[in-house]
mmCIF file of all heavy atoms in Angstrom:
data_model
loop_
_atom_site.group_PDB
_atom_site.id
_atom_site.type_symbol
_atom_site.label_atom_id
_atom_site.label_comp_id
_atom_site.label_asym_id
_atom_site.label_seq_id
_atom_site.Cartn_x
_atom_site.Cartn_y
_atom_site.Cartn_z
ATOM 1 N N LEU A 1 0.831 -1.208 0.000
ATOM 2 C CA LEU A 1 0.000 0.000 0.000
ATOM 3 C C LEU A 1 0.861 1.252 0.000
ATOM 4 O O LEU A 1 0.530 2.243 -0.670
ATOM 5 C CB LEU A 1 -0.939 -0.004 1.214
ATOM 6 C CG LEU A 1 -1.863 -1.210 1.347
ATOM 7 C CD1 LEU A 1 -2.899 -0.963 2.429
ATOM 8 C CD2 LEU A 1 -2.535 -1.565 0.030
ATOM 9 N N ALA A 2 1.966 1.211 0.718
ATOM 10 C CA ALA A 2 2.887 2.349 0.684
ATOM 11 C C ALA A 2 3.445 2.549 -0.723
ATOM 12 O O ALA A 2 3.569 3.683 -1.201
ATOM 13 C CB ALA A 2 4.026 2.128 1.677
ATOM 14 N N ALA A 3 3.770 1.454 -1.396
ATOM 15 C CA ALA A 3 4.285 1.549 -2.763
ATOM 16 C C ALA A 3 3.241 2.121 -3.711
ATOM 17 O O ALA A 3 3.563 2.909 -4.605
ATOM 18 C CB ALA A 3 4.747 0.172 -3.250
ATOM 19 N N LEU A 4 1.989 1.749 -3.530
ATOM 20 C CA LEU A 4 0.918 2.303 -4.351
ATOM 21 C C LEU A 4 0.755 3.801 -4.113
ATOM 22 O O LEU A 4 0.546 4.578 -5.054
ATOM 23 C CB LEU A 4 -0.406 1.573 -4.064
ATOM 24 C CG LEU A 4 -0.494 0.127 -4.534
ATOM 25 C CD1 LEU A 4 -1.723 -0.550 -3.940
ATOM 26 C CD2 LEU A 4 -0.532 0.047 -6.057
ATOM 27 N N LEU A 5 0.852 4.213 -2.859
ATOM 28 C CA LEU A 5 0.730 5.639 -2.539
ATOM 29 C C LEU A 5 1.859 6.436 -3.181
ATOM 30 O O LEU A 5 1.635 7.506 -3.747
ATOM 31 C CB LEU A 5 0.735 5.828 -1.023
ATOM 32 C CG LEU A 5 -0.540 5.421 -0.278
ATOM 33 C CD1 LEU A 5 -0.287 5.388 1.220
ATOM 34 C CD2 LEU A 5 -1.677 6.379 -0.602
ATOM 35 N N VAL A 6 3.080 5.901 -3.086
ATOM 36 C CA VAL A 6 4.230 6.586 -3.687
ATOM 37 C C VAL A 6 4.048 6.693 -5.201
ATOM 38 O O VAL A 6 4.429 7.694 -5.822
ATOM 39 C CB VAL A 6 5.531 5.843 -3.349
ATOM 40 C CG1 VAL A 6 6.697 6.361 -4.182
ATOM 41 C CG2 VAL A 6 5.845 5.985 -1.862
ATOM 42 N N ALA A 7 3.423 5.675 -5.810
ATOM 43 C CA ALA A 7 3.189 5.680 -7.253
ATOM 44 C C ALA A 7 2.022 6.571 -7.650
ATOM 45 O O ALA A 7 1.759 6.754 -8.845
ATOM 46 C CB ALA A 7 2.933 4.258 -7.742
ATOM 47 N N GLY A 8 1.312 7.126 -6.672
ATOM 48 C CA GLY A 8 0.190 8.008 -6.972
ATOM 49 C C GLY A 8 -1.043 7.277 -7.443
ATOM 50 O O GLY A 8 -1.842 7.840 -8.206
ATOM 51 N N LEU A 9 -1.236 6.033 -6.968
ATOM 52 C CA LEU A 9 -2.403 5.239 -7.356
ATOM 53 C C LEU A 9 -3.359 5.152 -6.176
ATOM 54 O O LEU A 9 -3.031 4.569 -5.132
ATOM 55 C CB LEU A 9 -1.976 3.836 -7.795
ATOM 56 C CG LEU A 9 -1.104 3.771 -9.053
ATOM 57 C CD1 LEU A 9 -0.556 2.367 -9.255
ATOM 58 C CD2 LEU A 9 -1.900 4.219 -10.291
ATOM 59 N N ASP A 10 -4.545 5.740 -6.340
ATOM 60 C CA ASP A 10 -5.525 5.671 -5.270
ATOM 61 C C ASP A 10 -6.152 4.270 -5.249
ATOM 62 O O ASP A 10 -5.830 3.426 -6.094
ATOM 63 C CB ASP A 10 -6.563 6.796 -5.405
ATOM 64 C CG ASP A 10 -7.500 6.646 -6.597
ATOM 65 O OD1 ASP A 10 -7.725 5.515 -7.087
ATOM 66 O OD2 ASP A 10 -8.041 7.677 -7.057
ATOM 67 N N PRO A 11 -7.028 3.973 -4.273
ATOM 68 C CA PRO A 11 -7.530 2.608 -4.151
ATOM 69 C C PRO A 11 -8.140 2.023 -5.422
ATOM 70 O O PRO A 11 -7.828 0.881 -5.797
ATOM 71 C CB PRO A 11 -8.566 2.727 -3.031
ATOM 72 C CG PRO A 11 -8.016 3.793 -2.148
ATOM 73 C CD PRO A 11 -7.426 4.800 -3.103
ATOM 74 N N VAL A 12 -9.011 2.760 -6.092
ATOM 75 C CA VAL A 12 -9.636 2.189 -7.284
ATOM 76 C C VAL A 12 -8.674 2.203 -8.464
ATOM 77 O O VAL A 12 -8.651 1.276 -9.280
ATOM 78 C CB VAL A 12 -10.979 2.892 -7.604
ATOM 79 C CG1 VAL A 12 -10.792 4.331 -7.973
ATOM 80 C CG2 VAL A 12 -11.752 2.138 -8.689
ATOM 81 N N GLU A 13 -7.830 3.222 -8.565
ATOM 82 C CA GLU A 13 -6.816 3.254 -9.627
ATOM 83 C C GLU A 13 -5.854 2.082 -9.502
ATOM 84 O O GLU A 13 -5.371 1.553 -10.507
ATOM 85 C CB GLU A 13 -6.037 4.567 -9.579
ATOM 86 C CG GLU A 13 -6.838 5.780 -10.006
ATOM 87 C CD GLU A 13 -6.108 7.076 -9.694
ATOM 88 O OE1 GLU A 13 -5.025 7.038 -9.086
ATOM 89 O OE2 GLU A 13 -6.656 8.144 -10.061
ATOM 90 N N SER A 14 -5.568 1.684 -8.266
ATOM 91 C CA SER A 14 -4.653 0.560 -8.082
ATOM 92 C C SER A 14 -5.238 -0.715 -8.687
ATOM 93 O O SER A 14 -4.507 -1.526 -9.272
ATOM 94 C CB SER A 14 -4.348 0.360 -6.592
ATOM 95 O OG SER A 14 -5.469 -0.148 -5.886
ATOM 96 N N LEU A 15 -6.550 -0.880 -8.591
ATOM 97 C CA LEU A 15 -7.196 -2.056 -9.171
ATOM 98 C C LEU A 15 -7.297 -1.951 -10.689
ATOM 99 O O LEU A 15 -7.016 -2.911 -11.410
ATOM 100 C CB LEU A 15 -8.594 -2.236 -8.576
ATOM 101 C CG LEU A 15 -8.679 -2.448 -7.066
ATOM 102 C CD1 LEU A 15 -10.133 -2.680 -6.654
ATOM 103 C CD2 LEU A 15 -7.816 -3.614 -6.622
ATOM 104 N N VAL A 16 -7.702 -0.803 -11.177
ATOM 105 C CA VAL A 16 -7.834 -0.615 -12.627
ATOM 106 C C VAL A 16 -6.488 -0.828 -13.310
ATOM 107 O O VAL A 16 -6.386 -1.500 -14.343
ATOM 108 C CB VAL A 16 -8.403 0.776 -12.951
ATOM 109 C CG1 VAL A 16 -8.426 1.004 -14.460
ATOM 110 C CG2 VAL A 16 -9.815 0.930 -12.379
ATOM 111 N N SER A 17 -5.430 -0.267 -12.740
ATOM 112 C CA SER A 17 -4.102 -0.407 -13.352
ATOM 113 C C SER A 17 -3.588 -1.829 -13.272
ATOM 114 O O SER A 17 -2.872 -2.294 -14.161
ATOM 115 C CB SER A 17 -3.107 0.553 -12.675
ATOM 116 O OG SER A 17 -2.930 0.236 -11.305
ATOM 117 N N PHE A 18 -3.964 -2.557 -12.217
ATOM 118 C CA PHE A 18 -3.531 -3.953 -12.079
ATOM 119 C C PHE A 18 -4.278 -4.842 -13.078
ATOM 120 O O PHE A 18 -3.694 -5.729 -13.699
ATOM 121 C CB PHE A 18 -3.776 -4.420 -10.644
ATOM 122 C CG PHE A 18 -2.791 -5.432 -10.138
ATOM 123 C CD1 PHE A 18 -1.513 -5.526 -10.656
ATOM 124 C CD2 PHE A 18 -3.140 -6.286 -9.106
ATOM 125 C CE1 PHE A 18 -0.600 -6.458 -10.173
ATOM 126 C CE2 PHE A 18 -2.247 -7.218 -8.609
ATOM 127 C CZ PHE A 18 -0.970 -7.316 -9.137
ATOM 128 N N ALA A 19 -5.578 -4.579 -13.226
ATOM 129 C CA ALA A 19 -6.346 -5.324 -14.228
ATOM 130 C C ALA A 19 -5.806 -5.048 -15.626
ATOM 131 O O ALA A 19 -5.792 -5.937 -16.493
ATOM 132 C CB ALA A 19 -7.824 -4.941 -14.151
ATOM 133 N N ALA A 20 -5.322 -3.842 -15.849
ATOM 134 C CA ALA A 20 -4.857 -3.431 -17.176
ATOM 135 C C ALA A 20 -3.595 -4.157 -17.614
ATOM 136 O O ALA A 20 -3.296 -4.214 -18.807
ATOM 137 C CB ALA A 20 -4.614 -1.921 -17.198
ATOM 138 N N ILE A 21 -2.843 -4.729 -16.662
ATOM 139 C CA ILE A 21 -1.661 -5.513 -17.037
ATOM 140 C C ILE A 21 -1.968 -7.010 -17.038
ATOM 141 O O ILE A 21 -1.064 -7.834 -17.207
ATOM 142 C CB ILE A 21 -0.454 -5.220 -16.124
ATOM 143 C CG1 ILE A 21 -0.718 -5.686 -14.689
ATOM 144 C CG2 ILE A 21 -0.086 -3.743 -16.174
ATOM 145 C CD1 ILE A 21 0.542 -5.687 -13.824
ATOM 146 N N GLY A 22 -3.238 -7.369 -16.831
ATOM 147 C CA GLY A 22 -3.640 -8.768 -16.895
ATOM 148 C C GLY A 22 -3.421 -9.542 -15.612
ATOM 149 O O GLY A 22 -3.390 -10.779 -15.636
ATOM 150 N N ALA A 23 -3.290 -8.852 -14.470
ATOM 151 C CA ALA A 23 -3.084 -9.553 -13.199
ATOM 152 C C ALA A 23 -4.287 -10.416 -12.834
ATOM 153 O O ALA A 23 -4.144 -11.467 -12.208
ATOM 154 C CB ALA A 23 -2.800 -8.549 -12.091
ATOM 155 N N ALA A 24 -5.465 -9.969 -13.209
ATOM 156 C CA ALA A 24 -6.707 -10.731 -13.032
ATOM 157 C C ALA A 24 -7.767 -10.045 -13.879
ATOM 158 O O ALA A 24 -7.568 -8.941 -14.390
ATOM 159 C CB ALA A 24 -7.137 -10.790 -11.562
ATOM 160 N N SER A 25 -8.903 -10.698 -14.020
ATOM 161 C CA SER A 25 -9.965 -10.147 -14.846
ATOM 162 C C SER A 25 -10.612 -8.940 -14.176
ATOM 163 O O SER A 25 -10.594 -8.808 -12.944
ATOM 164 C CB SER A 25 -11.035 -11.209 -15.101
ATOM 165 O OG SER A 25 -11.684 -11.567 -13.888
ATOM 166 N N VAL A 26 -11.173 -8.074 -14.994
ATOM 167 C CA VAL A 26 -11.900 -6.926 -14.460
ATOM 168 C C VAL A 26 -13.023 -7.396 -13.539
ATOM 169 O O VAL A 26 -13.268 -6.805 -12.476
ATOM 170 C CB VAL A 26 -12.457 -6.057 -15.608
ATOM 171 C CG1 VAL A 26 -13.407 -4.987 -15.065
ATOM 172 C CG2 VAL A 26 -11.314 -5.414 -16.395
ATOM 173 N N GLU A 27 -13.691 -8.478 -13.917
ATOM 174 C CA GLU A 27 -14.805 -8.988 -13.106
ATOM 175 C C GLU A 27 -14.328 -9.374 -11.705
ATOM 176 O O GLU A 27 -15.032 -9.149 -10.712
ATOM 177 C CB GLU A 27 -15.446 -10.198 -13.785
ATOM 178 C CG GLU A 27 -16.216 -9.875 -15.057
ATOM 179 C CD GLU A 27 -15.305 -9.581 -16.243
ATOM 180 O OE1 GLU A 27 -14.109 -9.990 -16.213
ATOM 181 O OE2 GLU A 27 -15.771 -8.920 -17.194
ATOM 182 N N ARG A 28 -13.142 -9.953 -11.611
ATOM 183 C CA ARG A 28 -12.604 -10.327 -10.305
ATOM 184 C C ARG A 28 -12.352 -9.081 -9.462
ATOM 185 O O ARG A 28 -12.677 -9.035 -8.279
ATOM 186 C CB ARG A 28 -11.319 -11.124 -10.487
ATOM 187 C CG ARG A 28 -10.591 -11.477 -9.195
ATOM 188 C CD ARG A 28 -11.387 -12.380 -8.293
ATOM 189 N NE ARG A 28 -11.633 -13.691 -8.890
ATOM 190 C CZ ARG A 28 -12.262 -14.688 -8.275
ATOM 191 N NH1 ARG A 28 -12.738 -14.501 -7.056
ATOM 192 N NH2 ARG A 28 -12.448 -15.843 -8.874
ATOM 193 N N PHE A 29 -11.779 -8.047 -10.061
ATOM 194 C CA PHE A 29 -11.503 -6.828 -9.311
ATOM 195 C C PHE A 29 -12.786 -6.100 -8.934
ATOM 196 O O PHE A 29 -12.841 -5.405 -7.917
ATOM 197 C CB PHE A 29 -10.590 -5.906 -10.113
ATOM 198 C CG PHE A 29 -9.161 -6.372 -10.149
ATOM 199 C CD1 PHE A 29 -8.597 -6.823 -11.332
ATOM 200 C CD2 PHE A 29 -8.379 -6.347 -9.012
ATOM 201 C CE1 PHE A 29 -7.270 -7.245 -11.367
ATOM 202 C CE2 PHE A 29 -7.057 -6.768 -9.030
ATOM 203 C CZ PHE A 29 -6.505 -7.214 -10.218
#
């Protein structure tokens, strides 16, 4: 979570950006 904050990714952005690299399906997030 600290790494996400440093990267400037808020809670929902952290999920959208993770789904965007194929970490899991959008439906899962």
Side-chain angles (χ1 to χ4, degrees):
L1 303 190
L4 291 168
L5 286 168
V6 168
L9 296 171
D10 69 25
V12 65
E13 290 169 356
S14 71
L15 299 183
V16 175
S17 63
F18 212 25
I21 66 168
S25 65
V26 171
E27 290 75 20
R28 175 64 64 177
F29 285 112

